[in-house]
Amino acid sequence: MAELNSDEPFIDTNKLIFGIGQVQQITGVSGRQLRYWESQNYISPIDQKKGVSRQYSLHTLFLIFHINRFIQQGFTLQAAVDHAKEFDAQIPALRQFLKKQLKGVEISDDQTVIDFGYFNAQRTKRVYGVIDRNGQTFFEIRDVK
DNA sequence: TTTCTGACA
DNA sequence: TGTCAGAA
């Protein structure tokens, strides 16, 4: 099974900057909305100076995207922001856990098996996440040979 | 051409 | 929130 070990990201996501026009194209949120949300302190561009073109970080782009998603689901702006920020706060934990536990992935014709490492301290069982041919997902615990 | 701020038939 | 004006 292939080993996954990329500690260094190949792209510094902090260097991915987007202008307001790009943000509009990508997220579908209008410039008017972006400026209004900013005035309400829901979002904030990178080190904003007066009168200069706004620049948004990738992180803010994601936040904007999610706020808009919740709005389209019928939430009020305020509620959408709350949901988006809550989700936003969960991402680091998800990334950390996945990075720590993901040991490998094996893709075959009928299914994909994700290796999540040992199930117990005795190292007699291992946990696998399975995606079958129908897209169904489930866990599987197998004895270590 | 794009973005900025302010204003509202 | 959209849209228009006037400026940068």
Side-chain angles (χ1 to χ4, degrees):
Chain A
M1 201 173 265
E3 280 296 313
L4 296 179
N5 252 324
S6 53
D7 284 341
E8 307 83 21
F10 48 98
I11 286 182
D12 183 354
T13 55
N14 291 316
K15 290 183 179 176
L16 292 176
I17 306 303
F18 305 86
I20 195 170
Q22 294 176 296
V23 174
Q24 291 184 73
Q25 287 184 16
I26 297 170
T27 67
V29 177
S30 70
R32 175 73 173 83
Q33 286 174 293
L34 292 172
R35 295 185 184 101
Y36 176 69
W37 296 0
E38 179 185 332
S39 74
Q40 301 303 301
N41 290 314
Y42 291 149
I43 59 173
S44 53
I46 297 171
D47 59 77
Q48 189 55 26
K49 298 174 183 178
K50 63 288 181 184
V52 183
S53 295
R54 271 158 262 255
Q55 299 206 305
Y56 300 89
S57 66
L58 181 63
H59 176 259
T60 302
L61 180 71
F62 268 86
L63 183 60
I64 292 168
F65 179 82
H66 286 125
I67 291 174
N68 190 231
R69 258 193 9 155
F70 288 122
I71 285 178
Q72 293 179 326
Q73 286 175 23
F75 290 96
T76 62
L77 174 57
Q78 176 65 68
V81 170
D82 290 341
H83 281 274
K85 293 201 169 180
E86 185 181 353
F87 177 69
D88 204 60
Q90 298 172 346
I91 293 181
L94 295 173
R95 293 188 49 146
Q96 182 186 344
F97 190 85
L98 207 53
K99 186 170 184 177
K100 280 275 189 176
Q101 289 302 131
L102 184 56
K103 305 303 180 184
V105 180
E106 189 170 74
I107 301 175
S108 56
D109 292 330
D110 57 329
Q111 66 175 11
T112 294
V113 178
I114 304 168
D115 182 1
F116 286 115
Y118 292 112
F119 176 69
N120 53 3
Q122 300 76 229
R123 302 189 171 185
T124 59
K125 297 174 185 297
R126 220 170 165 83
V127 182
Y128 296 93
V130 182
I131 305 174
D132 68 21
R133 80 204 72 193
N134 298 315
Q136 298 281 15
T137 61
F138 52 88
F139 284 113
E140 220 170 76
I141 297 176
R142 303 175 186 170
D143 291 325
V144 176
K145 299 78 173 178

